[in-house]
């Protein structure tokens, strides 16, 4: 029994040591399955924290956290990779302080309202946004470092209209996050 346990530990350790590590700005299709795209230059650290902005009578708060070694698996495939990512939680309130939307209950990257980073290059982080109910507003968001205390937000949704027959019930189909380019958020 002792030998079986040692062999198992050796195999597990050998696999872990064999995992190839690549810089975070490597495109996922360019790495072998099981690889790790690591934030080697600590580029994501700047973006973590709480950021605020106002847009069209709404107050938006972003809470950005870093998650290391997150596993991503391609749908209908055995290929997977690990990657350091940023998760964005947000709170949107109107000018009277009434809560319009809050995605703090999002558990994973497939939940509605999830925003997770996919790629970073030249101080620009590209995020995937799953959209609200029935996928309304899904698309990409880019955050760019503009100076030591500010980032620029750019978001243009891919889908803004959906017929109610494709979205059962009476869901709120409003996109509350700012649909704009170059909105400045300030770090708190």
């Amino acid at each position: 029994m002792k030998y079986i346990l040692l062999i198992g530990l050796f195999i597990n350790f050998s696999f872990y040591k064999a995992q190839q590590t690549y810089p975070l700005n490597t495109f996922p299709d360019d790495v072998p399955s099981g690889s790790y795209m690591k934030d080697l230059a600590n580029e994501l650290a700047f973006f973590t924290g709480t950021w605020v902005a106002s847009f069209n009578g709404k107050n938006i708060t972003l809470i950005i956290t870093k998650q290391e070694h997150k596993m991503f698996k391609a749908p209908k495939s055995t290929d997977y990779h690990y990657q350091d990512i940023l998760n964005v939680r947000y709170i949107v309130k109107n000018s009277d302080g009434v809560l319009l939307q809050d995605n703090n209950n999002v558990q994973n990257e497939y939940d509605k309202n999830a925003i997770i980073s996919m790629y970073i290059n030249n101080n620009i982080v590209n995020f995937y946004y799953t959209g609200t109910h029935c996928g309304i507003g899904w698309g990409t968001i880019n955050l760019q470092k503009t100076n030591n205390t500010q980032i620029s937000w750019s978001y243009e949704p891919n889908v803004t209209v959906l017929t109610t027959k494709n979205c059962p019930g009476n869901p709120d189909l409003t996109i509350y996050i700012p649909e704009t380019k170059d909105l400045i958020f300030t770090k708190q």
Side-chain angles (χ1 to χ4, degrees), residues 15-45:
F15 172 75
Y16 182 76
K17 291 287 281 180
Q19 182 181 51
Q20 294 178 316
T21 301
Y22 295 88
L24 192 57
N25 63 355
T26 306
F27 191 67
D29 289 347
D30 295 338
V31 300
S33 185
S35 297
Y36 178 25
M37 295 172 2
K38 183 173 178 56
D39 185 13
L40 296 170
N42 204 25
E43 297 170 277
L44 298 179

Side-chain angles (χ1 to χ4, degrees), residues 55-56 142 153-157 177-184:
F55 180 73
N56 287 349
N142 289 315
W153 162 285
S154 295
Y155 162 59
E156 187 174 332
I177 62 174
E179 297 176 54
T180 189
K181 292 183 181 192
D182 303 321
L183 175 64
I184 299 298

Side-chain angles (χ1 to χ4, degrees), residues 63 65 67 70 85-91 101-116 128-133 177:
I63 302 101
T65 57
Q67 182 178 354
K70 167 93 172 126
I85 65 165
L86 295 174
N87 285 306
V88 178
R89 302 288 186 245
Y90 62 85
I91 300 167
Q101 192 173 52
D102 178 344
N103 81 336
N104 279 294
N105 293 328
V106 170
Q107 299 299 313
N108 64 61
E109 66 270 17
Y110 302 109
D111 286 349
K112 67 181 180 186
N113 297 318
I115 301 175
I116 60 163
Y128 177 70
Y129 175 52
T130 58
T132 62
H133 298 282
I177 62 174

Side-chain angles (χ1 to χ4, degrees), residues 69-85:
H69 213 261
K70 167 93 172 126
M71 187 177 106
F72 287 91
K73 185 176 179 303
K76 300 180 182 179
S77 172
T78 58
D79 290 342
Y80 66 96
H81 71 276
Y82 297 92
Q83 181 175 336
D84 293 344
I85 65 165

Side-chain angles (χ1 to χ4, degrees), residues 21 46 51 127 140:
T21 301
F46 169 81
W51 303 82
F127 293 83
T140 58

